[in-house]
Amino acid sequence: MARQAVDSMKLVGPDIDINPKPGGKGLVGMPVWMAVGQSPATYGPNSATATAGGVTVTATAKVKSIVWNMGDRTSVTCNGPGTVYRKSFGMKQSPDCGHVYKQTSDSSADGKFTVSATATWAVDWQVAGGGGETGQLTEVRNSHVGLTIIESQAVN
């Protein structure tokens, strides 16, 4: 029944908010900021119940970590949603979820790094009433975007 409650939540992959934006271009050596939107279906918390045979189970899900595969054989683990980049931040690195590329994406498929965000959800469930049974499930959801990273050339 806990599985039924989780299925009714319709959890999906992270709502990626990355800077530079997909479709734009980032530079080797410049900070990339990663963040995710925080809706019930993409980050939580999200709760649902399921009932069968007079027994009701309530489940509550929330993301406990997001692992970003940056497409350049590195990964970054973020324990929160990250900070959305604003122009006023300039060239500072993200305070909680960022990356700096050391190479261009030229040799990658379509000239872009495939950046994936994999969210691990912790789902706590409990049986209503006198039974007091509880437990935890783990759910995993994934999203991805393409990111072009180029090298800046100085011209004299």
Side-chain angles (χ1 to χ4, degrees):
M1 287 201 345
R3 171 68 40 214
Q4 239 181 341
V6 171
D7 290 347
S8 73
M9 292 180 198
K10 300 191 183 329
L11 304 177
V12 296
D15 178 15
I16 295 174
D17 188 337
I18 193 166
N19 189 70
K21 299 287 183 206
K25 293 180 180 164
L27 294 173
V28 169
M30 300 305 283
V32 173
W33 289 53
M34 294 99 70
V36 296
Q38 298 178 62
S39 75
T42 62
Y43 195 80
N46 192 331
S47 293
T49 60
T51 302
V55 176
T56 299
V57 173
T58 300
T60 301
K62 58 185 171 183
V63 170
K64 68 178 182 180
S65 69
I66 298 177
V67 176
W68 294 81
N69 179 329
M70 302 308 296
D72 63 350
R73 295 189 207 110
T74 63
S75 64
V76 177
T77 300
C78 300
N79 294 316
T83 301
V84 174
Y85 178 79
R86 295 192 181 117
K87 283 186 177 187
S88 63
F89 297 152
M91 292 297 146
K92 294 179 186 172
Q93 290 193 11
S94 171
D96 52 8
C97 193
H99 180 65
V100 175
Y101 284 98
K102 294 180 171 73
Q103 64 190 41
T104 68
S105 58
D106 290 344
S107 62
S108 299
D110 299 328
K112 298 177 183 179
F113 287 123
T114 299
V115 177
S116 66
T118 302
T120 300
W121 293 75
V123 182
D124 294 313
W125 60 267
Q126 62 185 19
V127 176
E133 291 180 58
T134 64
Q136 189 173 73
L137 302 170
T138 299
E139 293 289 315
V140 176
R141 301 291 188 275
N142 184 291
S143 298
H144 66 276
V145 296
L147 192 59
T148 302
I149 302 294
I150 62 172
E151 208 164 26
S152 178
Q153 300 293 323
V155 179
N156 277 341

